[in-house]
């Protein structure tokens, strides 16, 4: 098992300290509030532009407006569009009055509707002033590498291409990667991926180059609704707890946090989420576990078996020599 996992789990050390940093900044991360994501994909574009990531195809996938489908070597940020035949969030959660303000309703009534090519749900009575029974909603979420506390990709990398930064994040050094691909199946989230042209692996670095000079990651900088929030991980967790309580008090009983628990199967994620449905709906594993968790016990058993075999061979050799 990697040094990082042993030290963090057994001695309560933060990932950067467990990785050998004596003096380091606070652990940094992402809190993604999907309840305010509008699916604009600004984060995808900013990520590609800043990190010079190749385009990944503008193809029709049949998955709503999702043209990237999932995270990969050429997609470090992925905005999911989940269409559900259920009541719109506003009417379901009472986050806003079902009746539009008089001035806004009057202004809207005087305009000619223009189709944007988006799925529509019209009020049953045809009036713009009421919106009570719309039976359709989107769940939108911007996914990214979780920068796990217990990162299996680090454990299995034979070249040191993957390393833990002083900010507690996990980064790939592509000039050291030999393309072995061990880290790809090791990731419990299916995040890290190999690029087809050269076989090297790529993923989100949490804009390590920007962090090093005091700037926030490009995706968070570009998000117009603050759905992607960047900062010190402890402060983000406090902010996320407050946001969940706010939503539940407003009637959003489905609001929950994903990846924020330091006692979960990966020791807590450096990038966690507020979801409005089960994790599986967003394509996230419900109970991720670091895939190298059992390696120490396995190696201990191998060692005991090898020692037993050696003792047996010595006994046979000695007894044979006496005869």
């Amino acid at each position: 098992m990697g040094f990082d996992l042993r030290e963090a789990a057994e001695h309560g050390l933060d990932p950067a300290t467990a990785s050998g940093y004596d003096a380091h900044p606070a652990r940094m991360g992402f809190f993604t509030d999907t309840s305010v994501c509008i699916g604009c994909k600004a984060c995808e574009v900013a990520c590609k532009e800043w990190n010079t990531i190749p385009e990944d195809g503008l193809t029709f996938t049949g998955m709503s407006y999702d043209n990237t489908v999932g995270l990969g070597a050429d997609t470090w940020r992925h905005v999911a569009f989940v269409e559900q035949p259920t009541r719109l969030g506003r009417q379901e959660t009472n986050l806003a009055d079902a009746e539009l303000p008089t001035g806004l309703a009057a202004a809207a009534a005087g305009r000619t509707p223009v189709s944007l090519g988006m799925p529509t749900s019209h009020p049953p009575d045809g009036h713009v002033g009421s919106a009570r029974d719309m039976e359709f909603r989107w769940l939108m979420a911007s996914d990214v590498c979780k920068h796990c506390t217990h990162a299996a990709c680090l454990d299995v990398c034979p070249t040191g291409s993957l390393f833990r930064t002083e900010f507690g994040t996990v980064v790939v050094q592509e000039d050291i990667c030999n393309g072995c691909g061990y880290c790809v199946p090791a990731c419990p989230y299916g995040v890290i991926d190999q690029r087809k042209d050269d076989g090297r692996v790529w993923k989100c670095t949490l804009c390590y180059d920007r962090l090093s000079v005091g700037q926030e990651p490009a995706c968070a900088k570009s998000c117009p609704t603050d759905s992607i929030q960047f900062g010190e991980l402890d402060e983000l967790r406090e902010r996320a707890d407050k946001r969940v309580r706010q939503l539940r008090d407003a009637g959003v009983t489905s609001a929950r946090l994903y990846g924020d628990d330091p006692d979960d199967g990966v020791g807590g994620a450096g990038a966690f989420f507020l979801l409005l449905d089960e994790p599986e709906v967003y394509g996230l594993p419900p109970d991720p576990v670091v895939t190298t968790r059992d390696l120490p016990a396995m190696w201990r058993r191998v060692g005991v078996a090898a020692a037993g075999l050696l003792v047996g061979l010595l006994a046979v050799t000695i007894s044979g020599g006496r005869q």
Side-chain angles (χ1 to χ4, degrees):
M1 180 62 71
F3 175 80
D4 198 25
L5 177 56
R6 283 201 312 272
E7 293 299 319
E10 296 176 6
H11 302 290
L13 301 178
D14 64 87
T17 301
S19 297
Y21 294 97
D22 293 329
H24 58 81
R27 186 178 180 186
M28 309 301 285
F30 286 128
F31 163 48
T32 301
D33 182 353
T34 68
S35 69
V36 294
C37 178
I38 59 174
C40 66
K41 289 179 175 281
C43 55
E44 283 193 15
V45 174
C47 178
K48 281 186 174 294
E49 288 186 344
W50 180 261
N51 294 290
T52 321
I53 304 172
E55 66 92 14
D56 44 11
L58 301 175
T59 57
F60 177 71
T61 64
M63 298 174 64
S64 185
Y65 289 88
D66 186 349
N67 66 291
T68 49
V69 180
L71 296 172
D74 296 331
T75 307
W76 299 1
R77 268 279 178 188
H78 165 242
V79 178
F81 290 74
V82 181
E83 298 180 10
Q84 291 185 326
T86 187
R87 293 176 67 83
L88 284 176
R90 185 177 66 176
Q91 290 74 43
E92 179 186 38
T93 62
N94 301 312
L95 291 181
D97 197 303
E99 296 295 330
L100 300 178
T102 303
L104 181 60
R111 296 174 181 168
T112 302
V114 176
S115 174
L116 299 178
M118 308 282 278
T120 58
S121 295
H122 297 287
D125 55 8
H127 297 296
V128 295
S130 64
R132 291 191 177 89
D133 299 310
M134 298 183 186
E135 300 292 340
F136 178 86
R137 75 170 179 176
W138 266 321
L139 296 179
M140 301 174 185
S142 180
D143 196 10
V144 71
C145 171
K146 312 309 179 290
H147 295 274
C148 307
T149 299
H150 305 334
C153 56
L154 289 175
D155 293 337
V156 302
C157 180
T159 65
S161 172
L162 281 145
F163 75 101
R164 179 82 64 180
T165 75
E166 66 271 28
F167 301 102
T169 58
V170 180
V171 174
V172 180
Q173 301 173 97
E174 62 271 11
D175 56 332
I176 299 177
C177 177
N178 67 358
C180 69
Y182 293 165
C183 56
V184 176
C187 176
Y189 297 99
V191 168
I192 199 163
D193 186 32
Q194 289 178 287
R195 195 166 284 172
K196 293 181 179 179
D197 59 351
D198 63 5
R200 294 180 296 170
V201 299
W202 305 77
K203 72 171 192 67
C204 164
T205 66
L206 217 147
C207 283
Y208 182 44
D209 52 346
R210 294 173 65 92
L211 265 61
S212 300
V213 293
Q215 297 181 353
E216 65 179 326
C219 57
K221 184 72 173 179
S222 69
C223 182
T225 64
D226 279 337
S227 172
I228 302 172
Q229 301 176 35
F230 166 77
E232 296 185 10
L233 195 57
D234 289 340
E235 192 276 330
L236 289 177
R237 286 172 174 165
E238 294 178 2
R239 191 186 307 175
D241 287 336
K242 182 179 179 180
R243 175 61 175 161
V244 169
R245 289 196 299 271
Q246 177 188 9
L247 288 174
R248 289 179 177 172
D249 290 344
V252 190
T253 57
S254 61
R256 71 201 70 190
L257 294 179
Y258 177 85
D260 68 307
D261 184 5
D263 296 321
D264 66 13
V266 298
F272 65 100
F273 305 80
L274 187 156
L275 305 180
L276 297 180
D277 209 324
E278 299 290 342
E280 299 94 320
V281 172
Y282 296 85
L284 297 168
D287 188 21
V289 175
V290 59
T291 53
T292 52
R293 177 189 61 182
D294 299 322
L295 281 181
M298 293 169 61
W299 282 116
R300 283 195 294 269
R301 294 188 184 100
V302 170
V304 170
L309 179 60
L310 180 60
V311 170
L313 289 174
L314 288 174
V316 170
T317 301
I318 293 173
S319 62
R322 289 175 180 173
Q323 294 176 358

